[in-house]
Amino acid sequence: TMLATFQYLRSDSRQHWTEHAMEIATDNVASNGDSRPIDGTTFGVDSQGIFTNGIITGTQGWRDDQQSTTDPRTPEFGLQSNNISRSVEQKYVTSDYGFNFKWTPNDRWGVVFDYQHVDSTVDNLDVGIWGSGFQNLDLKLNGSDMPVFTFLPPSSGASVSNCSPPSGSCSTYFRGAHNSFQDPYNSFWRSAMDHIEQSEGKEDAAKIDVDYRFAENSWLDSARVGVRWSERDQTTRFSTYNWGVLSEIWGGGGPVWFDDPINGNPATPGGPTSAAHTELYPFTDFMRGQVPVPTGLDARPFYNGNAAKDYAAMSAFGLSVGDEWRARNGADGCPQNWVPLAQRCGVVAGTPFLPGEINPVDEKTQSAYGMLRFKHDFDGDIRVTGNIGLRYTQIKREADGFLVFSRANPTSDVDCADTIAKHNADPTTSAPSDFCLLPQSAKDAVRAFANGSSTPQTTKIKFDYWLPSFNLKVALPHSVQVRLAASKTIAPPEIGLTRNYYNVTLDLTDQGIIGPNNNIVSGNVTVGNPRLKATEAVNFDGSVEWYFAPVGSVTFAAFWKELTNVATNSTARLPFTNNGSTFDVSITTPGNSDVKAHVKGFEVAYQQFYDFLPKPLDGFGINANFSYIDSKGVPQSTLSATDPDVAAGRVSTVDTGKLPLQGLSKYNANFAAIYEKNKISARLAYNWRSDFLLTVRDVIVPFAPIMNEATGQLDGSLFYTVNDKVKIGVQGVNLTNEITKTTQVLDIKPNGDLLKAGRSWFMNDRRYTFVLRATF
């Protein structure tokens, strides 16, 4: 009458990856007046005004080496681009202990007890280093086909022969003996980034269920009651993606080029150059040869180490480059160049984390339920079965964190005065920033406010939910049955969104200095929300099913859902006071929408084995289904459950409430041809879905929603059973080598149609797996 089971599972997953990527620095493009066609040309556009083809360039703005008579290298035109070498080391370890006890003292009573304990840790190191250069882009979009794009040498202003000596617009970039992108002369060290996560969590959960079975001649079949308890204790240590400058064109007399020696500031002639830290990387077999390689025959220079595995070496090199360009620390004694996470001002001693990057969350869930099952046979071969139940759930959450006034590193008064004096004397020099033009009292208030201070805070919250459910199945003659269901359910928010943090940041760029006379400093706050509620759903489902053969059926199902408290963005402008200074700051935080969302749709399915066919065709079968899903009605969140910097007050460029819910395609179709006969098992399956919302907010300018375009994939497998113990086979995934295309949503028309433009194209490759399965 008793059965006890103990189970232990351990997962140890490690991933190491590197990537070499080239990208146009869109942040620079946007801030310098956006891109433009090269002189003497225009962009091609379609009937909706969407770009189709052209050669794109842009201006650099201020170039700090432009007045140099010895090395006026930075070109006046050309898109600034990055050659990124990025490496990641990840380790995920989970241990799962489970105990189950079943007791059935007689044929009426049954008791089940379960207990589970889970420990999990995450270690993630993500490091990259950026080289940078300049080029124009010849881009041809080809409708639904992949685009063709080619990187070209930039326009460089006047020719060297007209410069005596070279200066100003007479750049020496990509000229004379240096007319190759492989030449260290044409690249500089721009930036570095590191990110570390060292999170841990544990969960304990227990449940008890008691069953009682009624007499056979009763409408009531059985009753079940049960209780549930769980406690989830998680500490997230998740640093920002710590991007920082190594050198740039707008200061320090110009950037640190790959052919510059790293031996002091300013560099003295001779000695090893930073080119020793580079390697040429060719993008061989780009998109499997289906489009030309954008770099042509040129391999491009990248950092030559593994930035994550050799984190210490990469950090030392990055620091040396930054020191070559300008002083490492600003006027406040804190870094103004990139430094490794652990060297930032204000980190918790012995860790790479700021106080606001460490977020403990403890969540307890308790619930109890009761359920009655019923059954009855009517005349005419009609049988009714079903159940009705009610569950009570209580969620308690406690989240610890910090109110942090993020440290700013504004331009010093001395540097402001120097820039203003130079610009007044020569208007062609760099104009002073809007921050430098603020009244002295405002600049002093900024320095007092943005001092990196932090205050601990704790939030405790409790939620209660009553969740009824009802299920009914009616079995009719001729193997037809009807199902009806109604329920209320909840989906708790991602625990990362409930972290307790306030990162108050002032925006000291020209875009952040606002007001009628550019005299007001604005800011933004990324805020977790420990008070975030679960999303609630009222669900109605129904189906009609005809089982015309032992393995043959045709079914139709329909559903309707109403969602409330959907997690979305909440924004407000509030005053914050710190160190005697007060600023109004925009808050962006997870919240629960007061708008109801609706999801509805249907599915038609068919499956059958054709066992009436002559041998060996009698092992052939088909499984197919089609579904339609309509979802709309809720402004959707642009926040990240892990990185608080993702939103930072920036919102999507369109009304996300007019978009479908994230991840749901309107149309889905699946078709599988199956063969099962004796020792052979084969399957060929094609799965297709229409376009769907991938994310409501891209991470770069213009922060547009991103759609995954319609896509289909063909997979297959073939297995042979050698004996009862051994099976061998082969599996193939993406046999058609489907290319995944994403688009960005630029606008939503009054009729609901989306105005979209191409965003990215991914080739995931065919993949084959040879399988041996053995049972001992």
PDB file of all heavy atoms in Angstrom, residues 293-319:
ATOM      1  N   VAL A 293      30.659  38.720 -49.830  1.00  0.00           N
ATOM      2  CA  VAL A 293      31.184  39.135 -48.534  1.00  0.00           C
ATOM      3  C   VAL A 293      31.278  40.665 -48.508  1.00  0.00           C
ATOM      4  O   VAL A 293      31.880  41.258 -49.416  1.00  0.00           O
ATOM      5  CB  VAL A 293      32.576  38.528 -48.281  1.00  0.00           C
ATOM      6  CG1 VAL A 293      33.067  38.896 -46.881  1.00  0.00           C
ATOM      7  CG2 VAL A 293      32.534  37.017 -48.446  1.00  0.00           C
ATOM      8  N   PRO A 294      30.680  41.324 -47.517  1.00  0.00           N
ATOM      9  CA  PRO A 294      30.686  42.801 -47.499  1.00  0.00           C
ATOM     10  C   PRO A 294      32.083  43.404 -47.490  1.00  0.00           C
ATOM     11  O   PRO A 294      32.276  44.516 -47.984  1.00  0.00           O
ATOM     12  CB  PRO A 294      29.931  43.132 -46.213  1.00  0.00           C
ATOM     13  CG  PRO A 294      29.095  41.931 -45.945  1.00  0.00           C
ATOM     14  CD  PRO A 294      29.874  40.761 -46.422  1.00  0.00           C
ATOM     15  N   THR A 295      33.056  42.692 -46.954  1.00  0.00           N
ATOM     16  CA  THR A 295      34.409  43.229 -46.864  1.00  0.00           C
ATOM     17  C   THR A 295      35.235  42.955 -48.120  1.00  0.00           C
ATOM     18  O   THR A 295      36.416  43.324 -48.176  1.00  0.00           O
ATOM     19  CB  THR A 295      35.141  42.605 -45.665  1.00  0.00           C
ATOM     20  OG1 THR A 295      35.126  41.179 -45.799  1.00  0.00           O
ATOM     21  CG2 THR A 295      34.466  43.003 -44.360  1.00  0.00           C
ATOM     22  N   GLY A 296      34.638  42.302 -49.122  1.00  0.00           N
ATOM     23  CA  GLY A 296      35.397  41.963 -50.316  1.00  0.00           C
ATOM     24  C   GLY A 296      36.496  40.968 -49.993  1.00  0.00           C
ATOM     25  O   GLY A 296      36.294  40.022 -49.235  1.00  0.00           O
ATOM     26  N   LEU A 297      37.681  41.180 -50.531  1.00  0.00           N
ATOM     27  CA  LEU A 297      38.796  40.268 -50.300  1.00  0.00           C
ATOM     28  C   LEU A 297      39.579  40.615 -49.045  1.00  0.00           C
ATOM     29  O   LEU A 297      40.520  39.908 -48.673  1.00  0.00           O
ATOM     30  CB  LEU A 297      39.740  40.290 -51.514  1.00  0.00           C
ATOM     31  CG  LEU A 297      39.123  39.836 -52.843  1.00  0.00           C
ATOM     32  CD1 LEU A 297      40.140  39.973 -53.969  1.00  0.00           C
ATOM     33  CD2 LEU A 297      38.618  38.408 -52.753  1.00  0.00           C
ATOM     34  N   ASP A 298      39.218  41.730 -48.393  1.00  0.00           N
ATOM     35  CA  ASP A 298      39.967  42.188 -47.222  1.00  0.00           C
ATOM     36  C   ASP A 298      39.524  41.460 -45.957  1.00  0.00           C
ATOM     37  O   ASP A 298      38.335  41.482 -45.608  1.00  0.00           O
ATOM     38  CB  ASP A 298      39.745  43.690 -46.997  1.00  0.00           C
ATOM     39  CG  ASP A 298      40.723  44.538 -47.794  1.00  0.00           C
ATOM     40  OD1 ASP A 298      41.647  43.962 -48.371  1.00  0.00           O
ATOM     41  OD2 ASP A 298      40.535  45.764 -47.834  1.00  0.00           O
ATOM     42  N   ALA A 299      40.458  40.816 -45.273  1.00  0.00           N
ATOM     43  CA  ALA A 299      40.224  40.464 -43.878  1.00  0.00           C
ATOM     44  C   ALA A 299      40.339  41.749 -43.063  1.00  0.00           C
ATOM     45  O   ALA A 299      40.981  42.708 -43.492  1.00  0.00           O
ATOM     46  CB  ALA A 299      41.233  39.423 -43.417  1.00  0.00           C
ATOM     47  N   ARG A 300      39.719  41.794 -41.910  1.00  0.00           N
ATOM     48  CA  ARG A 300      39.735  43.021 -41.109  1.00  0.00           C
ATOM     49  C   ARG A 300      40.445  42.787 -39.773  1.00  0.00           C
ATOM     50  O   ARG A 300      40.418  41.678 -39.225  1.00  0.00           O
ATOM     51  CB  ARG A 300      38.308  43.511 -40.858  1.00  0.00           C
ATOM     52  CG  ARG A 300      37.561  43.924 -42.142  1.00  0.00           C
ATOM     53  CD  ARG A 300      38.251  45.070 -42.860  1.00  0.00           C
ATOM     54  NE  ARG A 300      37.589  45.412 -44.101  1.00  0.00           N
ATOM     55  CZ  ARG A 300      36.652  46.350 -44.224  1.00  0.00           C
ATOM     56  NH1 ARG A 300      36.267  47.028 -43.164  1.00  0.00           N
ATOM     57  NH2 ARG A 300      36.107  46.603 -45.388  1.00  0.00           N
ATOM     58  N   PRO A 301      41.063  43.822 -39.207  1.00  0.00           N
ATOM     59  CA  PRO A 301      41.801  43.661 -37.945  1.00  0.00           C
ATOM     60  C   PRO A 301      40.870  43.683 -36.733  1.00  0.00           C
ATOM     61  O   PRO A 301      40.001  44.547 -36.614  1.00  0.00           O
ATOM     62  CB  PRO A 301      42.752  44.862 -37.944  1.00  0.00           C
ATOM     63  CG  PRO A 301      42.060  45.896 -38.777  1.00  0.00           C
ATOM     64  CD  PRO A 301      41.257  45.156 -39.803  1.00  0.00           C
ATOM     65  N   PHE A 302      41.070  42.721 -35.833  1.00  0.00           N
ATOM     66  CA  PHE A 302      40.333  42.613 -34.581  1.00  0.00           C
ATOM     67  C   PHE A 302      41.319  42.363 -33.438  1.00  0.00           C
ATOM     68  O   PHE A 302      42.453  41.927 -33.664  1.00  0.00           O
ATOM     69  CB  PHE A 302      39.338  41.439 -34.626  1.00  0.00           C
ATOM     70  CG  PHE A 302      38.167  41.637 -35.541  1.00  0.00           C
ATOM     71  CD1 PHE A 302      38.279  41.409 -36.905  1.00  0.00           C
ATOM     72  CD2 PHE A 302      36.945  42.034 -35.045  1.00  0.00           C
ATOM     73  CE1 PHE A 302      37.198  41.575 -37.750  1.00  0.00           C
ATOM     74  CE2 PHE A 302      35.850  42.203 -35.874  1.00  0.00           C
ATOM     75  CZ  PHE A 302      35.978  41.978 -37.228  1.00  0.00           C
ATOM     76  N   TYR A 303      40.857  42.593 -32.220  1.00  0.00           N
ATOM     77  CA  TYR A 303      41.641  42.209 -31.041  1.00  0.00           C
ATOM     78  C   TYR A 303      41.926  40.719 -31.122  1.00  0.00           C
ATOM     79  O   TYR A 303      41.042  39.918 -31.444  1.00  0.00           O
ATOM     80  CB  TYR A 303      40.860  42.546 -29.779  1.00  0.00           C
ATOM     81  CG  TYR A 303      41.557  42.149 -28.486  1.00  0.00           C
ATOM     82  CD1 TYR A 303      42.651  42.850 -28.023  1.00  0.00           C
ATOM     83  CD2 TYR A 303      41.088  41.062 -27.743  1.00  0.00           C
ATOM     84  CE1 TYR A 303      43.281  42.483 -26.839  1.00  0.00           C
ATOM     85  CE2 TYR A 303      41.712  40.695 -26.561  1.00  0.00           C
ATOM     86  CZ  TYR A 303      42.808  41.405 -26.117  1.00  0.00           C
ATOM     87  OH  TYR A 303      43.436  41.040 -24.955  1.00  0.00           O
ATOM     88  N   ASN A 304      43.144  40.309 -30.810  1.00  0.00           N
ATOM     89  CA  ASN A 304      43.558  38.940 -31.100  1.00  0.00           C
ATOM     90  C   ASN A 304      43.474  37.981 -29.917  1.00  0.00           C
ATOM     91  O   ASN A 304      43.832  36.808 -30.045  1.00  0.00           O
ATOM     92  CB  ASN A 304      44.993  38.917 -31.650  1.00  0.00           C
ATOM     93  CG  ASN A 304      46.024  39.396 -30.626  1.00  0.00           C
ATOM     94  OD1 ASN A 304      45.674  39.843 -29.544  1.00  0.00           O
ATOM     95  ND2 ASN A 304      47.298  39.321 -30.993  1.00  0.00           N
ATOM     96  N   GLY A 305      43.012  38.400 -28.767  1.00  0.00           N
ATOM     97  CA  GLY A 305      42.902  37.486 -27.634  1.00  0.00           C
ATOM     98  C   GLY A 305      41.474  37.033 -27.428  1.00  0.00           C
ATOM     99  O   GLY A 305      40.538  37.500 -28.087  1.00  0.00           O
ATOM    100  N   ASN A 306      41.298  36.080 -26.513  1.00  0.00           N
ATOM    101  CA  ASN A 306      39.966  35.713 -26.059  1.00  0.00           C
ATOM    102  C   ASN A 306      39.662  36.588 -24.844  1.00  0.00           C
ATOM    103  O   ASN A 306      40.191  36.366 -23.751  1.00  0.00           O
ATOM    104  CB  ASN A 306      39.912  34.230 -25.694  1.00  0.00           C
ATOM    105  CG  ASN A 306      38.508  33.775 -25.336  1.00  0.00           C
ATOM    106  OD1 ASN A 306      37.845  34.377 -24.498  1.00  0.00           O
ATOM    107  ND2 ASN A 306      38.061  32.705 -25.978  1.00  0.00           N
ATOM    108  N   ALA A 307      38.817  37.587 -25.056  1.00  0.00           N
ATOM    109  CA  ALA A 307      38.639  38.633 -24.052  1.00  0.00           C
ATOM    110  C   ALA A 307      38.065  38.110 -22.741  1.00  0.00           C
ATOM    111  O   ALA A 307      38.307  38.703 -21.684  1.00  0.00           O
ATOM    112  CB  ALA A 307      37.741  39.740 -24.608  1.00  0.00           C
ATOM    113  N   ALA A 308      37.321  36.997 -22.784  1.00  0.00           N
ATOM    114  CA  ALA A 308      36.747  36.451 -21.555  1.00  0.00           C
ATOM    115  C   ALA A 308      37.716  35.503 -20.863  1.00  0.00           C
ATOM    116  O   ALA A 308      37.965  35.613 -19.660  1.00  0.00           O
ATOM    117  CB  ALA A 308      35.431  35.742 -21.853  1.00  0.00           C
ATOM    118  N   LYS A 309      38.294  34.554 -21.625  1.00  0.00           N
ATOM    119  CA  LYS A 309      39.238  33.626 -21.012  1.00  0.00           C
ATOM    120  C   LYS A 309      40.480  34.350 -20.510  1.00  0.00           C
ATOM    121  O   LYS A 309      41.059  33.974 -19.486  1.00  0.00           O
ATOM    122  CB  LYS A 309      39.633  32.545 -22.020  1.00  0.00           C
ATOM    123  CG  LYS A 309      38.579  31.476 -22.232  1.00  0.00           C
ATOM    124  CD  LYS A 309      39.115  30.352 -23.100  1.00  0.00           C
ATOM    125  CE  LYS A 309      38.080  29.229 -23.228  1.00  0.00           C
ATOM    126  NZ  LYS A 309      38.570  28.107 -24.068  1.00  0.00           N
ATOM    127  N   ASP A 310      40.894  35.391 -21.230  1.00  0.00           N
ATOM    128  CA  ASP A 310      42.066  36.178 -20.835  1.00  0.00           C
ATOM    129  C   ASP A 310      41.611  37.556 -20.358  1.00  0.00           C
ATOM    130  O   ASP A 310      42.106  38.594 -20.799  1.00  0.00           O
ATOM    131  CB  ASP A 310      43.033  36.309 -22.008  1.00  0.00           C
ATOM    132  CG  ASP A 310      43.488  34.949 -22.526  1.00  0.00           C
ATOM    133  OD1 ASP A 310      43.698  34.060 -21.686  1.00  0.00           O
ATOM    134  OD2 ASP A 310      43.620  34.794 -23.749  1.00  0.00           O
ATOM    135  N   TYR A 311      40.623  37.534 -19.448  1.00  0.00           N
ATOM    136  CA  TYR A 311      40.016  38.784 -18.973  1.00  0.00           C
ATOM    137  C   TYR A 311      41.057  39.726 -18.363  1.00  0.00           C
ATOM    138  O   TYR A 311      41.047  40.929 -18.619  1.00  0.00           O
ATOM    139  CB  TYR A 311      38.932  38.426 -17.961  1.00  0.00           C
ATOM    140  CG  TYR A 311      38.171  39.584 -17.376  1.00  0.00           C
ATOM    141  CD1 TYR A 311      37.747  40.660 -18.160  1.00  0.00           C
ATOM    142  CD2 TYR A 311      37.827  39.592 -16.024  1.00  0.00           C
ATOM    143  CE1 TYR A 311      37.015  41.703 -17.614  1.00  0.00           C
ATOM    144  CE2 TYR A 311      37.100  40.632 -15.465  1.00  0.00           C
ATOM    145  CZ  TYR A 311      36.695  41.686 -16.266  1.00  0.00           C
ATOM    146  OH  TYR A 311      35.983  42.724 -15.720  1.00  0.00           O
ATOM    147  N   ALA A 312      41.981  39.182 -17.579  1.00  0.00           N
ATOM    148  CA  ALA A 312      42.984  40.026 -16.940  1.00  0.00           C
ATOM    149  C   ALA A 312      43.887  40.681 -17.979  1.00  0.00           C
ATOM    150  O   ALA A 312      44.198  41.883 -17.892  1.00  0.00           O
ATOM    151  CB  ALA A 312      43.816  39.197 -15.956  1.00  0.00           C
ATOM    152  N   ALA A 313      44.309  39.901 -18.993  1.00  0.00           N
ATOM    153  CA  ALA A 313      45.191  40.458 -20.027  1.00  0.00           C
ATOM    154  C   ALA A 313      44.451  41.507 -20.852  1.00  0.00           C
ATOM    155  O   ALA A 313      45.006  42.567 -21.171  1.00  0.00           O
ATOM    156  CB  ALA A 313      45.704  39.336 -20.931  1.00  0.00           C
ATOM    157  N   MET A 314      43.187  41.212 -21.205  1.00  0.00           N
ATOM    158  CA  MET A 314      42.418  42.188 -21.973  1.00  0.00           C
ATOM    159  C   MET A 314      42.210  43.460 -21.156  1.00  0.00           C
ATOM    160  O   MET A 314      42.305  44.583 -21.680  1.00  0.00           O
ATOM    161  CB  MET A 314      41.071  41.581 -22.372  1.00  0.00           C
ATOM    162  CG  MET A 314      40.109  42.545 -23.056  1.00  0.00           C
ATOM    163  SD  MET A 314      39.062  43.365 -21.830  1.00  0.00           S
ATOM    164  CE  MET A 314      38.313  44.621 -22.857  1.00  0.00           C
ATOM    165  N   SER A 315      41.939  43.309 -19.844  1.00  0.00           N
ATOM    166  CA  SER A 315      41.724  44.482 -18.994  1.00  0.00           C
ATOM    167  C   SER A 315      42.976  45.339 -18.923  1.00  0.00           C
ATOM    168  O   SER A 315      42.907  46.572 -19.029  1.00  0.00           O
ATOM    169  CB  SER A 315      41.307  44.034 -17.593  1.00  0.00           C
ATOM    170  OG  SER A 315      40.081  43.332 -17.621  1.00  0.00           O
ATOM    171  N   ALA A 316      44.130  44.698 -18.762  1.00  0.00           N
ATOM    172  CA  ALA A 316      45.378  45.458 -18.684  1.00  0.00           C
ATOM    173  C   ALA A 316      45.639  46.210 -19.978  1.00  0.00           C
ATOM    174  O   ALA A 316      46.054  47.385 -19.959  1.00  0.00           O
ATOM    175  CB  ALA A 316      46.538  44.509 -18.369  1.00  0.00           C
ATOM    176  N   PHE A 317      45.373  45.556 -21.113  1.00  0.00           N
ATOM    177  CA  PHE A 317      45.581  46.234 -22.386  1.00  0.00           C
ATOM    178  C   PHE A 317      44.606  47.390 -22.561  1.00  0.00           C
ATOM    179  O   PHE A 317      44.987  48.494 -22.977  1.00  0.00           O
ATOM    180  CB  PHE A 317      45.433  45.241 -23.537  1.00  0.00           C
ATOM    181  CG  PHE A 317      45.492  45.891 -24.891  1.00  0.00           C
ATOM    182  CD1 PHE A 317      46.682  46.427 -25.371  1.00  0.00           C
ATOM    183  CD2 PHE A 317      44.351  45.991 -25.681  1.00  0.00           C
ATOM    184  CE1 PHE A 317      46.732  47.053 -26.609  1.00  0.00           C
ATOM    185  CE2 PHE A 317      44.393  46.608 -26.922  1.00  0.00           C
ATOM    186  CZ  PHE A 317      45.587  47.139 -27.384  1.00  0.00           C
ATOM    187  N   GLY A 318      43.319  47.160 -22.255  1.00  0.00           N
ATOM    188  CA  GLY A 318      42.332  48.225 -22.392  1.00  0.00           C
ATOM    189  C   GLY A 318      42.670  49.426 -21.536  1.00  0.00           C
ATOM    190  O   GLY A 318      42.539  50.576 -21.965  1.00  0.00           O
ATOM    191  N   LEU A 319      43.123  49.176 -20.310  1.00  0.00           N
ATOM    192  CA  LEU A 319      43.516  50.284 -19.433  1.00  0.00           C
ATOM    193  C   LEU A 319      44.702  51.058 -20.006  1.00  0.00           C
ATOM    194  O   LEU A 319      44.752  52.293 -19.936  1.00  0.00           O
ATOM    195  CB  LEU A 319      43.851  49.753 -18.046  1.00  0.00           C
ATOM    196  CG  LEU A 319      42.678  49.224 -17.215  1.00  0.00           C
ATOM    197  CD1 LEU A 319      43.182  48.535 -15.954  1.00  0.00           C
ATOM    198  CD2 LEU A 319      41.710  50.346 -16.868  1.00  0.00           C
TER     199      LEU A 319
END
